Amino acid sequence: MDYLRQEIDGIDKELLELFQKRMKVCAELADYKKKKEIPILDESRERQKLASVTEQSEPELAEFNRNLFSVIMDLSKAYQQDQIRPHNAWEKMIQNAIENTEKTLPKYPFVACQGVEGAYSQIAADKIFKTKTNIMYCTDFEGVFAAVDQGMCRYGVLPVENSTAGSVNRTYDLMTKYNFYIVRALRLGIDHNLLAKPGTKKSDIREIFSHEQAISQCNEYLKQYPDVKVTVCENTAVASKMVANSDRTDVAAISSQSCVELYDLDILERCVQDQKNNYTRFICISKNLEIYPGSDKTSLMLSVNHKPGGLNKVLSKFAALGINLTKLESRPIPDRDFEFMFYLDLEGSVYSKELLQSLADMEHICESFRYLGSYPEVM
């Protein structure tokens, strides 16, 4: 064992020396490409190189060797681009946003939320801004995007995913339609409760109202009511309001505890969600790019060429730069069969050289690309 490890150490030393020698030649090549205005990426050259590697490889190692040289070429391109663009346009834009953004979020901004008083989005907004904010309630998620886009509100708060029910697809679909930036994210613990008018018993219930995400999060609980109609409505707080305003005494809502006092309801049962560690992630959006201290998450939206290996090129670029992806979501692109828009969340400080380099690289390897902002995420 010790002998074999010594053998590997010796080979690794040679590999390191050769890799550093290769990267120095790449730096000279980058300088030449810059002078001659030649693009860094040469797909024809890459195909020829990988074909040559395959041809020279022992059959059982061919795939391993192709993967190795694919990574080496990705690192080479990243290094060349770093030599050519030490101060890229993304770096300037982000630096400008950092310098022109206040150090803390404003205390009493106008914030757009979907639903009515007591909605989880409103609760999230109060936690994000650490105060009771000025809320403009919208009937749907698109109204939130539109309110921010048209300047009626400085910020909008929207749910993007739940730990039990998954992504909020409607929010992701609307992202392609509006220009915005994420300025903060929040993970909000969600405790759903079964609410009804005072005097109503669980045995009286014939219909339960709630939002589709909440219904999904309480799927197992609802199985104990096989004969009860479950009705989807716009929001959990809207469900509570509907129950409070109804003439019926056989209806209930799955909603937040904050709706109990707001709508004069009783809690028939607490914490009815299937998972006790249930949380929803909310984003706070703005029309203008604002980057606050502590921003260690970045979100992107992109599409790739509809051919084999298109997405892999993007993912390998992040891997080559040592950037961790915490989310990858795909949604169909309207009017384009079997083509998808991808949403990515990355970990890493906004001041990171690797992050800035990755943004510069995306423009050259993606069919379309949008930077959605860098921001802190709070609990």
Side-chain angles (χ1 to χ4, degrees), residues 75-90:
L75 292 170
S76 170
K77 287 179 290 187
Y79 186 57
Q80 289 182 58
Q81 286 166 342
D82 188 50
Q83 300 299 305
I84 290 175
R85 295 190 307 274
H87 301 288
N88 61 62
W90 290 105

Side-chain angles (χ1 to χ4, degrees), residues 321-341:
L321 292 170
I323 295 175
N324 185 42
L325 270 69
T326 58
K327 184 177 178 65
L328 174 62
E329 180 81 17
S330 65
R331 295 296 300 158
I333 299 175
D335 304 321
R336 292 171 65 175
D337 294 338
F338 303 106
E339 294 190 44
F340 297 86
M341 184 69 72

Side-chain angles (χ1 to χ4, degrees), residues 189-296:
I190 302 294
D191 283 330
H192 293 304
N193 304 278
L194 186 66
L195 310 183
K197 286 183 175 182
T200 301
K201 300 176 182 178
K202 286 199 289 184
S203 57
D204 298 332
I205 298 171
R206 295 293 175 266
E207 187 170 7
I208 295 175
F209 300 101
S210 197
H211 185 262
E212 60 183 347
Q213 279 273 328
I215 292 169
S216 177
Q217 293 161 32
C218 303
N219 184 56
E220 289 300 316
Y221 173 78
L222 289 171
K223 288 181 180 179
Q224 68 180 277
Y225 297 98
D227 300 322
V228 172
K229 180 181 179 182
V230 178
T231 301
V232 175
C233 56
E234 298 93 334
N235 187 276
T236 56
V238 169
S240 294
K241 191 173 183 179
M242 289 171 62
V243 169
N245 293 339
S246 174
D247 294 331
R248 297 168 58 185
T249 57
D250 61 351
V251 292
I254 292 177
S255 188
S256 68
Q257 185 171 335
S258 63
C259 289
V260 174
E261 292 186 9
L262 282 171
Y263 300 110
D264 191 25
L265 299 174
D266 282 349
I267 299 179
L268 300 186
E269 193 162 354
R270 298 178 185 273
C271 301
V272 299
Q273 67 274 4
D274 299 335
Q275 301 292 332
K276 298 309 175 186
N277 61 338
N278 185 39
Y279 66 84
T280 295
R281 183 169 179 254
F282 291 84
I283 56 172
C284 178
I285 64 171
S286 171
K287 188 172 184 178
N288 300 315
L289 179 60
E290 300 177 12
I291 300 179
Y292 290 90
S295 294
D296 56 3

Side-chain angles (χ1 to χ4, degrees), residues 22 44-54 69 73:
R22 188 184 196 280
S44 177
R45 163 72 175 167
E46 287 194 3
R47 280 194 294 270
Q48 292 172 8
K49 186 68 178 179
L50 290 175
S52 175
V53 167
T54 304
F69 275 84
M73 287 189 288

